[in-house]
Amino acid sequence: MKPPLCILTAPAAAAAVAAVAALGGNNLQQPLAVKPSTIPSLGFGTWNLDESNVTEAVSAALEAGYRHIDCATIYGNQKEVGKGIADGLKKAGVNRTDVWITSKLWNDHHNPNLVGEALDQALSDLGLDYLDLWLMHWPVASSADGTKLDYLHAWHAMERLHHTNKLRNIGVSNFSPAQLKDIIQNSDTKPAVHQFELHPYLPQEDWVATHEALGIAVTAYSPFANTNPTYNSGRDDPPFLLKNTDMVAIADERGCTTAQVALVWGMSRGYSVIPKSSHLDHIKENFEALGCKLHRGHLDRIDHLSDKYLKRFNNPSKSYGVKLYDGLQDS
């Protein structure tokens, strides 16, 4: 019997090798293609970008230098994203192989008989022959019978597609420790990447350390926290991250914007971040975060923002009628 998957404490990086060895076995074979260093650390997100402007935004992102585009079936804009990719590749003078493109399987296609259909539709909408990464968007399956936690059968179907020329890597999003353990211990391939909410108000140090130990790359969505209007922050929520006085002070010290400071903080922790914007100046400004330099003292100061403002903004547990994020910060 394999030992349970535990959330490591952040200082446990020194025990990473032992943790991985303890979980050993053929079912922990390395992903075929991915290493954290191969995923561009600064990506461009497309969640909630309107069909009327997402094509221009994606094209502008590629022209600005982004080489990592994150999208998903449920966003409802993949045809427009695909047009933006084609236009941006041409304008930037780069090849498809130079850009990392991620999409996601939606909940209504977890039936193993529907998973291949979902992949084909995503590729068709995006105008692509393959994806660098395909994530299971949630550990939740929805059908006419309702919504429930159900992911293993869909994961096994994704594994079978992993061995085709349509996918380079497969991964998960929004999984809990118990669900990630279930995938690892009952599959032939562990996830190459796990995408989940990460920002200074939800740093999840131990969860990030666990992924480092397991050799699973991490991508952070919502790196600007409650700046996203979708979250409808109220009076009881923390101040908008990009207006937080500590963030503003650090940005002023370093000659950066608060958005750039938030992105550098995330990338400094060893994972990729995927900011989004439909404004061309913000798209360029966010990419210029790569030139923003923070000292250890600045990073430590940001680390402590969650001591006062710990908050998870994306938790659809009530609407799905299932418990999500069990065992994680602010679940």
Side-chain angles (χ1 to χ4, degrees):
M1 178 181 295
K2 301 181 182 72
L5 173 65
C6 299
I7 301 181
L8 302 176
T9 56
V17 175
V20 175
L23 282 168
N26 292 334
N27 64 329
L28 285 183
Q29 65 182 358
Q30 289 297 315
L32 295 183
V34 72
K35 292 181 180 178
S37 60
T38 66
I39 305 175
S41 60
L42 183 55
F44 184 74
T46 60
W47 181 33
N48 281 349
L49 291 186
D50 190 86
E51 295 176 19
S52 66
N53 57 32
V54 68
T55 296
E56 181 183 11
V58 170
S59 179
L62 289 170
E63 277 196 274
Y66 292 84
R67 296 296 179 262
H68 175 180
I69 306 295
D70 181 86
C71 44
T73 295
I74 193 60
Y75 300 166
N77 58 12
Q78 287 197 135
K79 289 184 178 180
E80 291 74 21
V81 169
K83 293 176 183 177
I85 290 171
D87 187 58
L89 291 177
K90 185 182 299 182
K91 289 180 177 177
V94 296
N95 299 317
R96 163 66 184 94
T97 53
D98 298 320
V99 180
W100 179 282
I101 300 175
T102 297
S103 187
K104 307 177 190 77
L105 172 72
W106 187 239
N107 306 346
D108 60 358
H109 277 66
H110 278 212
N111 182 317
N113 295 323
L114 300 178
V115 172
E117 171 188 299
L119 175 59
D120 288 342
Q121 187 63 57
L123 290 171
S124 175
D125 288 346
L126 290 165
L128 302 175
D129 296 323
Y130 71 93
L131 292 172
D132 296 277
L133 175 64
W134 200 35
L135 302 174
M136 188 182 301
H137 209 146
W138 294 92
V140 173
S142 59
S143 68
D145 297 325
T147 301
K148 60 181 179 179
L149 291 171
D150 189 352
Y151 48 85
L152 265 182
H153 295 303
W155 179 257
H156 293 156
M158 291 173 69
E159 281 188 290
R160 290 189 287 274
L161 291 167
H162 186 201
H163 297 290
T164 70
N165 58 4
K166 298 177 182 179
L167 290 175
R168 298 293 186 265
N169 300 279
I170 56 175
V172 297
S173 181
N174 300 302
F175 272 52
S176 72
Q179 292 156 358
L180 183 60
K181 167 192 168 184
D182 202 16
I183 287 279
I184 289 175
Q185 295 191 331
N186 294 285
S187 306
D188 290 331
T189 309
K190 71 178 178 182
V193 180
H194 191 177
Q195 184 179 127
F196 49 92
E197 181 181 349
L198 282 169
H199 44 72
Y201 292 158
L202 190 72
Q204 305 198 84
E205 298 98 332
D206 298 347
W207 196 212
V208 171
T210 297
H211 287 76
E212 182 179 2
L214 292 170
I216 297 174
V218 170
T219 295
Y221 69 73
S222 296
F224 300 149
N226 52 345
T227 304
N228 190 328
T230 303
Y231 295 141
N232 295 317
S233 285
R235 65 177 62 184
D236 295 329
D237 284 328
F240 289 118
L241 179 66
L242 301 191
K243 295 183 178 180
N244 180 288
T245 54
D246 286 292
M247 296 289 288
V248 171
I250 292 169
D252 288 344
E253 278 185 48
R254 301 308 301 159
C256 305
T257 66
T258 50
Q260 291 169 348
V261 168
L263 296 173
V264 171
W265 175 83
M267 289 185 286
S268 75
R269 303 174 82 219
Y271 50 73
S272 57
V273 293
I274 47 172
K276 69 179 182 67
S277 180
S278 60
H279 301 285
L280 300 186
D281 54 343
H282 290 164
I283 291 171
K284 294 177 181 177
E285 172 192 302
N286 291 341
F287 187 74
E288 290 168 358
L290 294 173
C292 176
K293 307 299 181 185
L294 302 183
H295 297 315
R296 183 68 258 172
H298 298 124
L299 299 172
D300 290 342
R301 190 172 168 187
I302 298 170
D303 287 343
H304 287 289
L305 291 181
S306 61
D307 294 347
K308 182 178 181 180
Y309 297 123
L310 182 65
K311 179 73 174 181
R312 181 185 297 276
F313 294 100
N314 188 26
N315 190 346
S317 292
K318 288 184 179 179
S319 61
Y320 284 163
V322 299
K323 173 67 172 173
L324 299 168
Y325 309 123
D326 195 28
L328 296 175
Q329 277 187 326
D330 197 30
S331 61

